[in-house]
Amino acid sequence: PPFLMNVCACIVVIFINKALLETGGDKGELAVGAYGIVNRVGMLFVMIVFGITQGMQPILGYNYGANNWDRVKRTLNIGFVVGIFVTTMGLIVAELIPREISSLFATDATLIDISTTGFRISFMFFAVIGGQVVIQNFFQAIGKPGISIFLSLTRQLIFLIPTLLIFPKLWGVEGVWTSLAVSDLLAFIVAIITLIIIMRRKNKNLIQRL
């Protein structure tokens, strides 16, 4: 799943840059630069969540193999809450001081303006990314790579590319930022639904064993 996420991320960047260049007009290159700023700041928080999930994986894998389901659920719950907390901090920072953050990377006033708009739109649902990443890595840790791969593809590929083909035609550069936000929310919803289904099946199996 991590390999596929990186591959998908490379593919998606191509679509994003293309959409920004096409809809940005004479400011298209600045829009691409703005995406670089927005993406880098977002990754700072997402990488913290990835670090959390890397620490969770041996705990989840060991206890899942030992049929210690209570500890598995407790570890998942803690990781989910911490992951959401980290990306919520990213949301707060991006919404409250987007111009100040952009100014750390650029001095061009137009680039800062585009980046500021990018932060405020694309980070609308950034808080839920932490939960989606934790759930995705949870399935990898318990030996269900197929589900983990599917969840890794939802945010980067299944939802984002179609929205990138539609929203920019409707709203220009702001449509690109909106595509990022919408794909984050949809991927989280799918992850939650998937987790609920798997949890119910697991709990049902445990009850039958008793």
Side-chain angles (χ1 to χ4, degrees):
F3 168 75
L4 284 178
M5 283 189 67
N6 288 326
V7 172
C8 290
C10 293
I11 295 173
V12 165
V13 167
I14 295 173
F15 279 86
I16 292 174
N17 288 344
K18 184 174 183 294
L20 289 171
L21 287 171
E22 290 178 349
T23 60
D26 58 348
K27 299 178 182 177
E29 293 183 2
L30 290 176
V32 172
Y35 170 70
I37 294 173
V38 172
N39 183 55
R40 283 303 168 191
V41 173
M43 285 305 297
L44 287 175
F45 293 95
V46 173
M47 291 305 294
I48 295 174
V49 180
F50 276 128
I52 293 169
T53 60
Q54 289 298 311
M56 288 171 55
Q57 283 187 1
I59 302 173
L60 290 169
Y62 176 83
N63 286 284
Y64 183 81
N67 290 319
N68 193 339
W69 189 239
D70 288 337
R71 184 170 291 178
V72 170
K73 290 191 292 185
R74 188 162 64 250
T75 303
L76 173 61
N77 290 336
I78 294 173
F80 184 85
V81 171
V82 175
I84 290 287
F85 173 80
V86 170
T87 46
T88 298
M89 292 299 100
L91 168 65
I92 292 173
V93 169
E95 294 295 338
L96 292 182
I97 54 171
R99 184 169 294 277
E100 289 76 6
I101 296 175
S102 301
S103 298
L104 296 175
F105 296 88
T107 56
D108 185 279
T110 303
L111 176 55
I112 291 174
D113 288 340
I114 298 173
S115 300
T116 299
T117 302
F119 274 118
R120 285 182 169 150
I121 297 177
S122 65
F123 271 65
M124 281 191 297
F125 303 114
F126 189 77
V128 302
I129 292 179
Q132 195 269 346
V133 171
V134 168
I135 293 172
Q136 169 196 316
N137 282 274
F138 163 72
F139 286 114
Q140 180 182 347
I142 65 172
K144 297 185 182 297
I147 297 176
S148 182
I149 290 172
F150 167 70
L151 294 179
S152 70
L153 294 178
T154 54
R155 177 170 171 256
Q156 297 279 6
L157 204 66
I158 296 175
F159 293 129
L160 185 52
I161 289 183
T163 55
L164 282 172
L165 296 175
I166 299 171
F167 291 171
K169 294 180 180 178
L170 300 174
W171 304 303
V173 173
E174 292 187 356
V176 178
W177 305 131
T178 304
S179 298
L180 297 170
V182 170
S183 63
D184 289 341
L185 178 61
L186 293 177
F188 175 73
I189 292 173
V190 171
I192 287 292
I193 293 173
T194 304
L195 180 64
I196 291 173
I197 292 173
I198 297 300
M199 285 295 192
R200 285 180 176 176
R201 289 179 181 175
K202 181 65 178 178
N203 289 333
K204 183 178 180 180
N205 291 335
L206 289 175
I207 292 173
Q208 289 177 348
R209 289 178 184 177
L210 295 175

